[in-house]
Amino acid sequence: MTDPTVPTALRATGLGRRFRSRWALRDCAFTVPAGKITALVGPNGAGKSTLFHLATGLLHPTTGELSVFGATPGSDEARARTAFLAQDKPLYPRFTVGDTLRFGRELNDDWDQAAAERIVRAGDIPFDTRIGTLSQGQATRVALAVAFGKRPELLLLDEPLADLDPLVRIEAMGLVMEEVAERGTTVVISSHILSELESVCDHVLLLKHGGVRLDGDVQRLCEDHVRFTGLADASTGDGLPAGLDRGTVVEATVTGRQLTAFVRGTAPTGDHWITETPSLEELLLAYLRSDDRPTEDTGRDGAAA
Amino acid sequence: MKGSLWLAWRQQRALVLTGAALLLACVAWVAFQRADMMSFIDAHHFKVCKGWDSEECAGTDLEQAQRLLSDNDDGIVALGTLSAALPVIIGIFWGAPLLGRELESGTWKLALTQGVGLRRWFTARFGLAVLCSVLGSAVLAALVAWWWSPISNMLDGLYWHDGYIFNATGPAAVACALFGLTAGTAAGLLIRRTLPAMGVVLGVVVGLRFLLNTFRSSWIEPTARISQGDAPRENVRSAWSTGEFGFIDGAGRKRPIADACPWGEGLPDLKTCMAQKGFVGRYHKVYPSSDFWVFQWIETAIFLGLAAVLFALICVVLRRRAVI
């Protein structure tokens, strides 16, 4: 599923992280292509935040390994190339905006003060304002300014749009896209708002119950799947046509006598089926809704760390 | 200031500046009070004496002594209380938030994903806190000693073994401040919340101080001051009496029976009584004032040892990224 000619930003092999007796991530293997925007999708507790913490070295894996451009997460080399915006967008509330940018300058060798200032100015935020008095949207902008001032090659955004009102959401996303397009930054962005990801991301990584459920290029994934609807087959228990390989079915629902199914591969033959290539949002929803689980069932996960 | 040191300074400067201002105020106040005290001593050609009562302090003007003590003891007690409480204050307001607030607010994720690594980040902030704690507690401990020493161990004044003095001065006071800081830092790291960590460090430092004050006299053997026959006992002077008086029998054994030969109407005098009971001398167990340093070094070692253990624990927990 991964194009070997594209350089890799993140590579995981056998990656697992356990919190006491609960596995937040288990036996994950995937690659994140460099220079692309990857959507990290999954229900709450699927291990998205854990993955970000492992990729930044804030956590160590329990099993397996993860590399950032070939380096160990948290090493000097990996830290210099990675910027991370955590879900709660932490900033020092007593610092002024100016102090916050100085923080970035003092703690990073390769710091782009002009870029950071430009992002702050574009939001009309005075530099002497204390962080604690900023609105959510302004704080997100300052946090993004710190992230971009670092000139990262890999930008990790954990739910950057949560808690933002729709206008600010569009503004923040626009800001990210603008900066990323200019520099060819690799981005991994997690979000619940699937429709907002569809228009921006090239690659998708879907986590569920601590495992990788779907991983690949967006366009290819959509083309590899088909959604078909039609009259449910009364002769089979599940309503699916008898000749269909059940292993390819991602999700199937029967409403009244109507069957809607997502399959990987080709649709069953017959002109009584309406077939369509699913959108990314439809496809992700189908995978999120489907009950089947990756290799080992670890029980229902609680909230992610 | 550059890099992680700038961050440490920016985050702790309010504490550093507030602490420095309070310390300067203390220095000014003590300098003024002590100058007053010294001019009184000089002007009245006051003879300073070490001892409990007028018998031990013959030649000292008791009225002047009382005036000196009443003028200065309250101030020294207040300063001593502040100095003795400093480790707790440092632990609560400096140690507990040092990592606790970072973990609580999530800003550790911001700090540790920049170009500066965990080691430098922690070294800078902990180092600055250590430097300030040591300097602050040393200045305060020195102020207590400076003000108290001219009128130390005199009559019913303040003695070296009083909590206001012993816990407030000497190397143990500095070591205790270091312990308070480390305990607060460790509590903040392990509990990940500032407020509960503050509560824990308050309990731990006060509890340890209480234990040390309770068991201080058990660590070393007191000195037995022996007086032969019915010769008068040596004056207590600046020593710390254990309250153990007794007699020495013919075999040289110490018999801790203080009232074997009571005074009283119709009772035989001391010499007769001792002869009747076969005692050849009397003794009194005390800790001479030179033991101040023995006790101080013992407690310094305890505080520093515990601080080192906690520091190692902090390093292990940080290194293993057992946080979150």
Side-chain angles (χ1 to χ4, degrees), chain B residues 4-317:
Chain B
S4 48
L5 200 56
W6 173 83
L7 177 64
W9 163 251
R10 177 63 190 80
Q11 288 192 282
Q12 296 177 36
R13 70 178 184 196
L15 278 171
V16 177
L17 295 177
T18 312
L22 290 175
L23 209 57
L24 271 179
C26 281
V27 170
W29 175 58
V30 173
F32 177 77
Q33 294 287 336
R34 190 181 185 278
D36 231 22
M37 179 177 85
M38 294 317 284
S39 69
F40 180 92
I41 291 174
D42 291 345
H44 294 81
H45 303 292
F46 179 76
K47 184 166 166 271
V48 176
C49 125
K50 310 290 166 208
W52 274 101
D53 50 26
S54 52
E55 188 193 326
E56 294 182 16
C57 281
T60 297
D61 185 335
L62 290 183
E63 211 171 298
Q64 285 178 359
Q66 283 311 327
R67 200 174 144 200
L68 256 181
L69 291 176
S70 64
D71 281 353
N72 290 285
D73 272 6
D74 289 347
I76 296 174
V77 163
L79 187 72
T81 307
L82 177 66
S83 180
L86 190 66
V88 179
I89 296 170
I90 287 175
I92 289 178
F93 294 106
W94 215 315
L98 196 66
L99 296 175
R101 185 165 294 147
E102 296 283 317
L103 292 168
E104 191 171 37
S105 64
T107 43
W108 68 285
K109 294 181 206 166
L110 179 68
L112 295 183
T113 49
Q114 306 302 317
V116 159
L118 170 74
R119 187 192 297 257
R120 269 171 61 194
W121 173 77
F122 176 70
T123 308
R125 62 177 37 232
F126 191 70
L128 182 61
V130 165
L131 183 73
C132 295
S133 302
V134 168
L135 279 179
S137 58
V139 167
L140 215 47
L143 281 182
V144 172
W146 189 50
W147 190 359
W148 166 73
S149 54
I151 56 165
S152 62
N153 309 329
M154 183 172 76
L155 298 168
D156 57 352
L158 291 166
Y159 280 72
W160 60 271
H161 50 84
D162 285 329
Y164 299 114
I165 300 300
F166 188 88
N167 292 326
T169 188
V174 180
C176 187
L178 213 50
F179 168 74
L181 175 71
T182 317
T185 307
L189 174 64
L190 297 177
I191 301 171
R192 292 171 257 157
R193 297 257 177 281
T194 311
L195 210 59
M198 287 174 163
V200 166
V201 72
L202 172 74
V204 166
V205 179
V206 170
L208 181 63
R209 262 279 165 76
F210 179 78
L211 280 178
L212 292 179
N213 281 314
T214 308
F215 295 108
R216 183 165 299 145
S217 56
S218 341
W219 294 325
I220 58 172
E221 274 299 303
T223 309
R225 287 180 172 173
I226 294 166
S227 38
Q228 296 298 331
D230 66 339
R233 286 195 187 99
E234 191 183 334
N235 285 328
V236 176
R237 304 188 68 80
S238 63
W240 178 20
S241 169
T242 61
E244 187 187 333
F245 296 89
F247 292 88
I248 296 170
D249 63 17
R253 284 190 300 258
K254 292 191 180 69
R255 311 285 290 270
I257 27 176
D259 54 354
C261 285
W263 289 93
E265 199 100 4
L267 293 171
D269 67 5
L270 184 63
K271 191 172 186 173
T272 320
C273 170
M274 283 176 68
Q276 280 170 356
K277 300 198 173 175
F279 294 141
V280 298
R282 295 188 293 168
Y283 73 92
H284 176 204
K285 284 193 174 174
V286 297
Y287 295 101
S289 56
S290 58
D291 280 353
F292 172 83
W293 292 104
V294 180
F295 289 127
Q296 279 280 330
W297 290 121
I298 289 173
E299 296 196 9
T300 302
I302 291 174
F303 285 128
L304 290 182
L306 289 174
V309 168
L310 288 173
F311 181 74
L313 179 72
I314 292 169
C315 291
V316 169
V317 172

Side-chain angles (χ1 to χ4, degrees), chain A residues 57 79 99 106-108 150, chain B residues 3 10-11 113-115 321:
Chain A
R79 263 188 288 104
D99 286 336
E106 294 287 350
L107 270 68
N108 292 288
K150 212 171 173 279
Chain B
R10 177 63 190 80
Q11 288 192 282
T113 49
Q114 306 302 317
R321 301 285 198 281

